[in-house]
Amino acid sequence: MKRAVKRQDPSDSITMIHVESDCIDHPVTKDILARAGHVPVKVVTDEKNRMLDVGPYPNSLSQGKRHLLLGRNRGKFFKPCPGTKEYICCDYQVLNIGMNCPMDCVYCILQAYMNNPHLSFFVNVEDMLGELIQAFSDSPEQFWRIGTGEFTDSLALDRLTGLSRILVEFMRDKESAVLELKTKTAVIDNLEGLNHGGRTIVAWSLNSPVIVKKEEIRTSSLEQRLAAAANCASWGYRLAFHFDPIIYHPGWQEGYRDTIDLLFAMVPKDKIAWISMGCLRYLPALKKIASQRFPTSRFFQEEFIEGLDGKARYFRTLRVEMYQYIYKLLQRKTDPRTCIYLCMENNEIWQAVFGFIPEEKGGLPQMLDMAVRRQ
Ligand code: SF4
C-alpha cells in the first residue's frame, strides 16, 4: 500500500538559476525554468561571469549551493568510476549529470574535489543519451552498471530537472545494463507510473540516526528515505542501500542496529539487489575544509591512517570490527539473493569480514551483475 510521505525537497533551497546564454533556448532549460516558477534567472554570457561572487572557497559553498548553473557538458558524460587499483573496485560506470549538491553532508568528498561553489546541471541530455547508445553498441557483450550519483545526488534536483523520467524510460529496454539512482532524498514523484522494465535500481545511503541528524544537512530523515524506498518497491523497482560512510561515534553499535531494524521493518527484503558497506575515507584536504565549515563536528578528530590511495581511513582493526558488526546484523535479515559487499577494501578485509575474497565468487563486478541478472 502506498504510504504518505512528507518530503523535504533540497531543490527548494535554490534561490537563483544561472543559464549559459547558448542554452537558454534548449528545451530542457525551458522545462527547468518553467518548473522553477518564481526563482530569479540570470543569463551568463562569458566564462568570467560563471564564477559566482559569493566569497572565498570553501565558505562560499554554503551560499553557492543555493545557485544552480544550467549549461552544456562539453566533455564526456559517461566514464568508468575512478576507483583505485589498490582496493577492490566494483567496476561501476559513472554518468555525469552535473556537479555538486544542494544538500550539505559534513563528510562530503565533493567539498575537496570542487573549486566552484555552485551547483551545475547539464542540459544537453541528448548528447548524454547518444554516448550511452554508442557505448552499448561498441561493447555489446558488456554488462553495464551505471550510476549518476558520483558528483552529485541522483534525485536532489529531480523535481526541477525531470531527468530521472528521461533516464528510466531510456533504460527500460536496455537488457545489458542497469541504472542506479542513488540518493539521500525522498524525491521520487517522477519515478511513479513509469514503464521502467526493471532496468532501474533506486538506492539510498543510510547511516546511524545520529549521523543522519547531525552530519547530513538538508537530507531526508531515515524514515522518509525508507518510506520512499517502500513506495519505489511497490512500483516494481529494485532497491539498493549503501552504509557509506560508516562513521565511528559514541553509540555506533546501537545506531547502526536501529537503522538496520528500521530498514527491514519498512522495506521488502526480496526487492533489495545489493547493500554496500564502506568506512569513512577522505582526502587530506577535506578535514581542513569540513572543520572550517562545520566546527562542531567531531568525527574527524578520531585516529586515521593514510591508505594506499592517499586517503585517510580508520585503522584496520576498527574497520574490521565495524564491518563485522554491521554484516552480522544484515546477514540475519537479508534475502540470500542480495549481494552484500565492501566498497574500496582489500582481500584481507574481505576475508576477515565475509570469510571469502571476491575472486572465489568470480570477482566483485560479477557478484553484482549476478545479483541483478538473476532477480
Ligand atoms: S548527499 Fe551526497 S553529494 Fe550531497 S552533500 Fe551529501 S554526500 Fe555530498
Side-chain angles (χ1 to χ4, degrees):
M1 196 173 60
K2 188 175 168 182
R3 294 159 196 259
V5 186
K6 187 176 171 293
R7 292 181 191 130
Q8 156 142 1
D9 187 333
S11 70
D12 290 342
S13 62
I14 290 171
T15 54
M16 169 89 80
I17 298 181
H18 307 250
V19 186
E20 288 179 10
S21 53
D22 61 345
C23 296
I24 196 77
D25 292 323
H26 194 287
V28 172
T29 305
K30 287 183 173 171
D31 286 346
I32 292 172
L33 297 184
R35 291 183 197 114
H38 300 300
V39 178
V41 177
K42 191 172 160 190
V43 178
V44 175
T45 46
D46 61 36
E47 184 71 22
K48 206 169 134 237
N49 242 330
R50 285 173 59 179
M51 305 299 286
L52 304 178
D53 187 12
V54 282
Y57 199 88
N59 286 342
S60 55
L61 266 168
S62 304
Q63 268 307 309
K65 281 170 175 277
R66 298 181 183 279
H67 292 255
L68 171 63
L69 174 71
L70 303 179
R72 203 172 270 281
N73 184 0
R74 294 171 175 85
K76 275 179 76 79
F77 280 97
F78 191 44
K79 291 181 192 161
C81 179
T84 46
K85 59 181 183 321
E86 292 84 3
Y87 297 105
I88 297 163
C89 178
C90 67
D91 229 355
Y92 204 59
Q93 308 290 323
V94 175
L95 196 59
N96 183 9
I97 60 174
M99 307 291 276
N100 213 342
C101 173
M103 295 175 280
D104 211 355
C105 302
V106 173
Y107 54 75
C108 181
I109 196 89
L110 297 178
Q111 299 170 95
Y113 275 160
M114 313 267 164
N115 45 18
N116 281 332
H118 57 260
L119 316 173
S120 56
F121 177 77
F122 302 128
V123 296
N124 51 330
V125 174
E126 66 285 358
D127 295 331
M128 179 192 301
L129 301 184
E131 272 187 46
L132 288 173
I133 291 167
Q134 189 64 49
F136 296 162
S137 95
D138 286 350
S139 305
E141 301 306 317
Q142 183 165 349
F143 188 77
W144 306 83
R145 279 173 286 102
I146 303 165
T148 57
E150 183 73 10
F151 300 112
T152 182
D153 178 282
S154 297
L155 297 176
L157 296 175
D158 206 59
R159 178 182 64 85
L160 295 178
T161 67
L163 181 66
S164 67
R165 278 185 172 267
I166 299 171
L167 288 178
V168 169
E169 292 192 329
F170 170 82
M171 291 295 292
R172 122 185 111 199
D173 56 356
K174 307 294 182 292
E175 292 191 355
S176 63
V178 286
L179 170 72
E180 183 179 28
L181 298 174
K182 199 191 294 182
T183 190
K184 288 195 182 99
T185 74
V187 181
I188 53 164
D189 291 358
N190 285 334
L191 300 178
E192 186 171 9
L194 299 184
N195 177 4
H196 52 75
R199 307 321 303 172
T200 295
I201 294 173
V202 196
W204 277 267
S205 304
L206 299 179
N207 221 310
S208 154
V210 66
I211 297 292
V212 171
K213 218 177 213 152
K214 280 177 60 188
E215 318 291 356
E216 298 183 348
I217 298 154
R218 279 198 297 279
T219 64
S220 291
S221 69
L222 278 174
E223 288 78 4
Q224 289 168 339
R225 292 180 210 181
L226 294 172
N231 278 343
C232 287
S234 75
W235 302 332
Y237 290 95
R238 281 174 294 180
L239 309 174
F241 296 95
H242 299 280
F243 287 85
D244 200 341
I246 296 168
I247 293 180
Y248 179 80
H249 61 283
W252 65 267
Q253 290 99 330
E254 294 75 33
Y256 287 107
R257 190 192 58 216
D258 289 349
T259 298
I260 290 167
D261 286 346
L262 193 64
L263 163 62
F264 288 98
M266 292 185 68
V267 166
K269 66 178 182 180
D270 60 319
K271 290 286 187 183
I272 305 175
W274 53 66
I275 299 176
S276 76
M277 300 185 285
C279 279
L280 176 68
R281 52 213 176 273
Y282 61 88
L283 291 171
L286 180 66
K287 182 173 176 177
K288 194 168 165 223
I289 293 173
S291 305
Q292 193 177 329
R293 295 190 64 225
F294 307 101
T296 59
S297 281
R298 287 278 158 261
F299 62 86
F300 281 113
Q301 309 310 324
E302 299 298 332
E303 277 195 287
F304 293 92
I305 46 153
E306 189 183 320
L308 296 169
D309 54 0
K311 290 183 184 165
R313 328 176 135 230
Y314 296 124
F315 285 101
R316 184 156 62 100
T317 44
L318 179 58
R319 301 206 314 272
V320 169
E321 183 190 341
M322 295 176 90
Y323 290 141
Q324 282 176 334
Y325 179 84
I326 294 171
Y327 177 54
K328 204 175 267 175
L329 295 173
L330 289 172
Q331 218 182 2
R332 280 191 209 135
K333 305 203 174 206
T334 309
D335 186 284
R337 289 167 301 176
T338 301
C339 177
I340 304 177
Y341 69 99
L342 295 175
C343 187
M344 303 304 281
E345 287 290 0
N346 59 30
N347 280 337
E348 258 180 83
I349 307 281
W350 273 77
Q351 188 68 48
V353 176
F354 299 126
F356 67 87
I357 60 170
E359 283 87 271
E360 293 171 34
K361 306 212 170 190
L364 178 55
Q366 168 83 357
M367 288 165 60
L368 291 167
D369 292 352
M370 292 304 295
V372 277
R373 287 176 133 174
R374 70 181 158 216
Q375 288 189 0

